[in-house]
């Protein structure tokens, strides 16, 4: 039986082998017709490796012509390619393999494309892709960060110190052409409507010499944010008070002191500002000695501000002071004796004045003199220690010494005891004329 089966299998063996091969070929043809190899295009971003190779050349780079994205064809079984997406591929540019041109200002880097998934039978067609880069000298500089504000604090308050908290230095690195444009670095805090101290983390902004913002996209900053604080202070308007030194010439006097501005706004804490009533400017700054005309001077009041305060407007530090100087006029008033107060008069005496009207001359500004009348003058004499008889005493008048000057006057008075007989009138002398007349008439 076994021999019969073996004979059957080996009979026409060559034809049977050919049939098997033919069947395999037919299967292969059918299979390829059902799942053929096709080519499909994919796009992915280029990943950079070994960027330090550029830095070691003391260069920095910029990718050109959009070559950081690459499009490539892939051939494979349709069933396999249908499962793949752009994200399944990676394109790597190894910067250590870059080829630099003769001018040392550009280079190309070959891009290697691979599939992230384990898919067999894939073929990457086409020429080798390259990343195109421009090369430029690398530069690094340190800048001091300036503090600034935007907006206005609340009404009745003023901005105090604005400062960077911590380090105020920033290192900027990148292409020399961009770093060289930077003139200053500013950190700005928004204080709009604020009435209390505040602090914030802000982005430093780079500016060129024209005040235009410098694009920092290709730059590397040592710190992405900085902390900035701002003090918000109370405000109070305080008048300025001035004094003078020296004495004007002759009858000239200081009439008035005016300043521009007459008051200044100070900022500080409430505990410092609330007790302040005025800012005193010492007299030695304004010398009116021997002056016969107005004196004008400019004073920097900064050093006379109370501790813990600042001017809201720095321009107010320079104050123009004008001292008005005018000559005194003289006016004579007729003072009635009955209006003179007598001091020191004993009960046993009575007083009489030689003149009922006493001329009194007072010096002052015309408008001030016009305000006075003889009846309003407060005049007095002191007769303490004086005895019976005729005396000359000094007349005293109480006046505002800032507005008036009184020329001394002495007046004649007579003191008499109250129990003394009144003085008899002098009798005319007898010169004998009456008798002669009688004789003549006789």
């Amino acid at each position: 039986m076994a021999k019969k089966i073996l004979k059957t299998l080996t009979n026409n063996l060559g034809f049977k082998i050919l049939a098997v091969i033919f069947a395999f070929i037919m299967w292969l043809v059918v299979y390829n017709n059902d799942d053929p190899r096709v080519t499909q295009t994919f796009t992915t971003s280029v990943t950079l490796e070994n960027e330090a190779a550029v830095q070691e050349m003391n260069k920095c780079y910029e990718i050109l012509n959009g070559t950081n994205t690459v499009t490539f064809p892939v051939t494979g079984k349709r069933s396999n390619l249908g499962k793949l997406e752009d994200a399944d591929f990676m394109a790597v540019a190894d910067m250590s393999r870059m080829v630099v041109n003769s001018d040392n200002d550009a280079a190309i880097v070959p891009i290697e494309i691979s599939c992230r998934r384990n898919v067999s039978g894939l073929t990457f067609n086409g020429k080798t892709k390259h990343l195109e880069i421009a090369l430029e000298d690398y530069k690094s500089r340190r800048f001091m960060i300036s503090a600034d504000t935007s907006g206005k604090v609340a009404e009745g308050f003023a901005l105090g110190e604005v400062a960077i908290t911590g380090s105020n230095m920033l290192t900027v690195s990148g292409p020399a052409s961009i770093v060289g444009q930077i003139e200053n670095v500013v950190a700005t805090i928004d204080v709009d409507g604020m009435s209390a101290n505040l602090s914030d983390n802000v982005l430093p902004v780079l500016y060129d010499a024209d005040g235009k913002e410098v694009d920092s996209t290709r730059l590397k900053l040592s710190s992405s944010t900085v902390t900035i604080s701002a003090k918000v202070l109370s405000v109070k308007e305080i008048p300025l008070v001035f004094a003078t030194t020296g004495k004007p010439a002759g009858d000239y006097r200081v009439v008035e002191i005016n300043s521009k501005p007459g008051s200044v706004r100070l900022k500080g804490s409430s505990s410092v500002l609330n007790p302040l009533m005025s800012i005193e400017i010492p007299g030695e700054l304004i010398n009116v000695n021997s002056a016969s005309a107005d004196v004008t001077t400019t004073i920097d009041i900064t050093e006379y501000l109370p501790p813990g305060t600042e001017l809201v407007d720095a321009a107010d530090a320079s104050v123009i002071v004008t001292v008005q100087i005018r000559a005194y006029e003289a006016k004579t008033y007729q003072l009635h004796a009955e209006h003179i107060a007598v001091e020191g008069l004993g009960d046993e005496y009575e007083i009489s004045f030689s003149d009922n009207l006493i001329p009194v001359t007072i010096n002052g500004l015309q408008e001030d003199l016009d305000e006075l009348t003889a009846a309003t003058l407060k005049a007095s004499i002191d007769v303490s220690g004086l005895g019976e008889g005729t005396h000359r005493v000094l007349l005293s008048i109480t006046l505002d010494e800032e507005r008036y000057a009184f020329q001394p006057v002495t007046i004649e008075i007579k003191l008499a005891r109250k129990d003394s007989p009144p003085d008899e009138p002098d009798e005319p002398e007898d010169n004998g004329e009456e008798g002669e007349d009688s004789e003549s008439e006789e």
Side-chain angles (χ1 to χ4, degrees):
M1 183 68 179
K3 290 181 179 180
K4 186 177 181 180
I5 294 173
L6 179 62
K7 184 178 179 180
T8 302
L9 292 173
T10 56
N11 189 28
N12 298 320
L13 181 62
F15 288 106
K16 290 179 178 178
I17 293 174
L18 288 174
V20 171
I21 294 174
F22 180 75
F24 176 76
I25 292 172
M26 290 300 293
W27 174 84
L28 190 61
V29 170
V30 172
Y31 178 81
N32 284 334
N33 285 336
D34 290 340
D35 192 11
R37 288 180 65 82
V38 295
T39 299
Q40 186 174 333
T41 300
F42 295 90
T43 301
T44 190
S45 298
V46 178
T47 301
L48 305 182
E49 290 184 350
N50 296 319
E51 294 179 74
V54 180
Q55 298 177 2
E56 289 172 0
M57 298 171 59
N58 199 30
K59 296 281 187 178
C60 51
Y61 67 89
E62 180 183 11
I63 299 174
L64 301 176
N65 305 320
T67 55
N68 58 330
T69 300
V70 62
T71 300
F72 50 91
V74 179
T75 301
K77 295 290 185 179
R78 180 165 55 191
S79 60
N80 290 336
L81 292 181
K83 300 174 184 178
L84 299 176
E85 299 178 348
D86 290 341
D88 293 321
F89 295 90
M90 53 188 266
V92 177
D94 187 347
M95 303 296 278
S96 65
R97 296 176 58 197
M98 66 181 171
V99 179
V100 183
N101 69 356
S102 58
D103 293 330
N104 213 31
D105 61 358
I108 58 173
V109 185
I111 300 173
E112 292 187 359
I113 302 171
S114 60
C115 184
R116 301 177 189 271
R117 297 173 62 179
N118 186 17
V119 178
S120 61
L122 297 181
T123 302
F124 297 94
N125 305 324
K127 296 180 180 180
T128 302
K129 302 292 184 179
H130 290 89
L131 181 72
E132 299 177 16
I133 61 174
L135 296 175
E136 187 176 346
D137 290 340
Y138 179 87
K139 189 173 185 179
S140 182
R141 288 179 60 192
R142 280 171 59 82
F143 296 90
M144 179 177 290
I145 306 172
S146 301
D148 199 3
T149 61
S150 63
K152 295 178 64 176
V153 297
E155 188 71 25
F157 293 87
L159 192 62
E161 181 185 14
V162 180
I164 304 297
T165 303
S167 175
N168 64 345
M169 299 301 297
L170 181 72
T171 301
V172 182
S173 306
S177 61
I178 301 178
V179 175
Q181 296 176 26
I182 303 171
E183 185 70 20
N184 54 67
V185 179
V186 180
T188 303
I189 187 171
D190 185 6
V191 299
D192 197 46
M194 294 298 173
S195 59
N197 298 341
L198 68 156
S199 180
D200 196 8
N201 293 325
V202 301
L203 298 173
V205 181
L206 316 178
Y207 293 95
D208 63 16
D210 296 326
K212 296 180 180 179
E213 186 174 343
V214 177
D215 185 3
S216 60
T217 306
R218 298 179 58 200
L219 300 176
K220 181 180 179 182
L221 308 183
S222 61
S223 178
S224 58
T225 62
V226 294
T227 303
I228 182 172
S229 62
K231 291 183 178 179
V232 179
L233 305 173
S234 298
V235 174
K236 184 176 181 180
E237 188 161 351
I238 309 293
L240 300 174
V241 177
F242 298 89
T244 61
T245 187
K247 186 177 180 181
D251 289 334
Y252 288 88
R253 297 291 186 275
V254 173
V255 176
E256 191 176 9
I257 302 177
N258 297 312
S259 67
K260 187 177 181 181
S263 60
V264 294
R265 290 195 305 152
L266 296 184
K267 56 184 178 181
S269 65
S270 299
S271 60
V272 173
L273 292 179
N274 288 342
L276 292 180
M277 293 295 106
S278 64
I279 299 174
E280 307 282 340
I281 307 301
E284 57 264 24
L285 299 180
I286 310 174
N287 190 347
V288 297
N289 196 45
S290 301
S292 58
D294 291 354
V295 175
T296 300
T297 187
T298 301
I299 298 174
D300 186 344
I301 65 170
T302 305
E303 62 180 290
Y304 306 105
L305 300 180
T309 66
E310 297 178 65
L311 291 168
V312 173
D313 187 350
D316 287 344
S318 183
V319 177
I320 300 174
V321 183
T322 300
V323 182
Q324 294 184 15
I325 296 179
R326 290 167 59 185
Y328 272 9
E329 304 289 339
K331 185 174 182 179
T332 300
Y333 302 84
Q334 298 297 326
L335 182 63
H336 285 270
E338 60 189 34
H339 293 155
I340 299 175
V342 180
E343 299 175 0
L345 181 65
D347 293 338
E348 69 275 21
Y349 290 103
E350 57 184 6
I351 187 171
S352 59
F353 294 85
S354 299
D355 299 303
N356 284 330
L357 288 177
I358 302 167
V360 175
T361 301
I362 297 176
N363 298 87
L365 298 177
Q366 188 61 55
E367 56 265 32
D368 292 335
L369 294 175
D370 291 341
E371 293 179 5
L372 291 179
T373 64
T376 60
L377 292 177
K378 295 181 179 180
S380 64
I381 58 174
D382 188 355
V383 297
S384 300
L386 299 182
E388 188 176 10
T390 301
H391 306 277
R392 297 193 66 83
V393 295
L394 185 65
L395 180 68
S396 296
I397 295 181
T398 303
L399 292 169
D400 183 352
E401 295 182 358
E402 296 293 326
R403 302 172 62 189
Y404 305 99
F406 168 57
Q407 298 181 10
V409 175
T410 57
I411 61 176
E412 186 175 286
I413 62 167
K414 188 174 184 181
L415 299 180
R417 291 185 180 277
K418 292 181 178 180
D419 55 357
S420 298
D423 291 341
E424 296 180 0
D426 295 335
E427 294 182 0
E429 294 181 1
D430 184 5
N431 52 13
E433 293 180 356
E434 186 179 348
E436 292 179 355
D437 291 340
S438 296
E439 291 178 357
S440 169
E441 289 176 359
E442 287 178 357

